[in-house]
Amino acid sequence: MNLKMPLVDLKAQHLELKSEIDAAIRDVVDSQQFIMGPQVAEFEQDLAAYAQVPYAFGCASGTDALQLALMALGVGPGDEVITSPFTFAATVEVIALLGATPVYTDIDLASYNIRVDQVAGLITPRTKAIIPVHLYGQPADMDELLEIGKRHEIPIVEDGAQALGAYYRDEKVCGLGTIGCTSFFPAKNLGAYGDAGGVFTRDEALADRLAKIRAHGSDKRYWHELLGVNSRIDTLQAAILQVKLPHLDRWNQHRQQVAAWYNEQLNPAWVTTPVCGVDRTHIYQQYTIRVEQRDALQQYLTKNGIPSAVHYPTPLYLQPVFRDAQWDSRCPNSEKASNTVLSLPMHPYLTREQVQLVVDTIHGFFEQD
Ligand SMILES: *Cc1c(COP(=O)(O)O)cnc(C)c1O
């Protein structure tokens, strides 16, 4: 039996839509409108409708989406931004790039999302934004955060790079906060064929700023109103994403099915499986378990042909570039998660048999002890 098992199966997804995607690419190449061709505005309309917000803009990456959001909110030197240290580096990179200081809350070990109960205590007169990360595809505790944001007049920027399509109560991620950000990195739930990202807002004035900042602060040729960057989404990526977007919910549902298979089969005495809050949905950008013997289990899986990954092995305040002794051991849950999390194969083409093989191999590791 040849169960070739990738961690993420991008080839299967390409084959599913190959003829439509090839045609979309050909149209753009034939038109030669690589920058802001008509597919960009069309995709942005589709994206806004999908996220149930009035304004959505494509941009060059998820990282840029976060930077555009902070720029649109005027975050700069001397400001503080509260976020999680247990996330991909981009979340904190953009804060530092703008000269602001990241201030960390620990995470909740059940959801891996920020501990909202710590946020209010970290607010100072310099706090200019709070960035919850909807980690692995599960929304953070948004009602509580929005309430804190309202009380202190601090905008909430959602890092929805891993969670596009997830619901919090009756609303979709990226439309909950002041600005929502997502990523179309190829391995994300909605992946482009290169780098791309999106920003979302309900606020007309912010929408105007976001649209300009991503294009050199300008919406009229050679007239620059704001300090901007070059972060347009490629027409090619917009055209490809236009083809893929209508399939996102179905792909996310299959990921939920895969997660349910894992949850049913994995022995809870040996591994901690993900927990999803009852008032939200999880779209499993990652299916991540926690085990004390993580490194040994990962080696065993590799030896047995099962890929896995650690998201993320180091809290950001311990990374050389962001090292900040002030936060050492103040985020014990983040440190514990960094040492014990393991992401298993997860994509919309995994079969029940493949999931069973992963589970049997994990159980085989524990049975040998
Ligand atoms: C992927 C990711 C980003 C960055 O997105 P890119 O498109 O790779 O720039 C930011 N935050 C989180 C949580 C991510 O997973």
Side-chain angles (χ1 to χ4, degrees):
M1 183 167 42
N2 178 20
L3 287 167
K4 146 177 101 53
M5 176 115 43
L7 199 58
V8 176
D9 196 345
L10 297 179
K11 279 192 181 155
Q13 193 159 67
H14 177 64
L15 288 178
E16 186 193 334
L17 299 175
K18 183 171 165 32
S19 60
E20 273 179 89
I21 287 179
D22 286 351
I25 292 172
R26 204 176 331 108
D27 284 350
V28 176
V29 173
D30 287 347
S31 78
Q32 291 288 302
Q33 288 187 271
F34 295 116
I35 305 296
M36 298 305 255
Q39 291 88 345
V40 171
E42 286 167 25
F43 171 61
E44 288 173 342
Q45 271 184 14
D46 295 350
L47 190 59
Y50 179 82
Q52 303 169 350
V53 296
Y55 307 103
F57 302 102
C59 61
S61 69
T63 307
D64 274 10
L66 290 161
Q67 183 174 335
L68 294 172
L70 296 184
M71 287 176 78
L73 293 167
V75 172
D79 294 339
E80 294 174 356
V81 178
I82 297 174
T83 192
S84 163
F86 189 65
T87 173
F88 181 58
T91 317
V92 166
E93 200 171 47
V94 296
I95 298 169
L97 273 173
L98 294 175
T101 303
V103 172
Y104 300 105
T105 69
D106 203 359
I107 54 162
D108 171 39
L109 269 180
S111 67
Y112 305 102
N113 282 326
I114 66 173
R115 275 187 57 173
V116 172
D117 60 306
Q118 292 186 336
V119 170
L122 296 168
I123 290 175
T124 75
R126 295 174 163 190
T127 309
K128 287 290 153 57
I130 301 170
I131 310 184
V133 182
H134 305 308
L135 203 74
Y136 302 148
Q138 176 170 202
D141 293 330
M142 289 301 291
D143 275 0
E144 294 82 344
L145 274 173
L146 291 168
E147 170 58 34
I148 293 169
K150 205 157 147 193
R151 197 161 5 109
H152 296 269
E153 294 181 41
I154 297 171
I156 310 290
V157 174
E158 300 176 71
D159 183 342
Q162 303 186 1
L164 188 64
Y167 280 88
Y168 177 80
R169 309 215 158 134
D170 294 324
E171 288 183 69
K172 276 199 172 139
V173 151
C174 286
L176 296 155
T178 315
I179 299 179
C181 303
T182 201
S183 165
F184 305 121
F185 180 81
K188 297 285 160 75
N189 289 31
L190 179 63
Y193 284 22
D195 278 311
V199 282
F200 306 79
T201 188
R202 298 179 181 281
D203 182 301
E204 191 181 346
L206 282 175
D208 183 61
R209 289 174 65 80
L210 288 166
K212 286 176 181 152
I213 292 170
R214 68 142 177 203
H216 301 292
S218 164
D219 65 356
K220 204 163 85 191
R221 186 167 284 201
Y222 306 131
W223 184 253
H224 303 272
E225 226 177 282
L226 300 169
L227 183 62
V229 294
N230 178 0
S231 184
R232 297 165 297 220
I233 187 172
D234 286 346
T235 312
L236 273 170
Q237 302 304 343
I240 291 163
L241 290 166
Q242 246 189 313
V243 174
K244 293 185 78 174
L245 180 60
H247 302 276
L248 177 59
D249 284 342
R250 176 171 53 84
W251 291 329
N252 284 346
Q253 280 157 18
H254 190 89
R255 287 172 179 270
Q256 290 165 340
Q257 174 64 73
V258 170
W261 289 332
Y262 276 129
N263 287 344
E264 276 162 36
Q265 301 296 326
L266 283 166
N267 184 339
W270 288 329
V271 307
T272 305
T273 54
V275 180
C276 179
V278 290
D279 56 356
R280 62 202 78 178
T281 62
H282 195 318
I283 53 145
Y284 298 98
Q285 156 57 203
Q286 302 298 341
Y287 182 89
T288 304
I289 59 170
R290 214 161 63 236
V291 284
E292 292 300 328
Q293 315 90 314
R294 191 265 317 277
D295 293 342
L297 173 60
Q298 187 172 31
Q299 276 171 23
Y300 181 89
L301 291 177
T302 305
K303 209 175 71 199
N304 287 280
I306 308 288
S308 63
V310 176
H311 305 102
Y312 297 92
T314 309
L316 293 180
Y317 55 79
L318 296 177
Q319 292 283 353
V321 58
F322 304 124
R323 202 178 288 273
D324 186 341
Q326 189 191 341
W327 299 97
D328 280 16
S329 74
R330 273 172 63 178
C331 299
N333 290 349
S334 301
E335 295 185 18
K336 183 177 164 101
S338 293
N339 292 326
T340 53
V341 290
L342 191 64
S343 301
L344 303 180
M346 170 54 82
H347 59 77
Y349 304 90
L350 268 185
T351 64
R352 191 163 193 150
E353 290 67 36
Q354 288 175 309
V355 170
Q356 192 64 53
L357 179 64
V358 176
V359 169
D360 290 345
T361 311
I362 292 171
H363 289 176
F365 169 80
F366 287 98
E367 279 154 2
Q368 64 175 357
D369 285 350

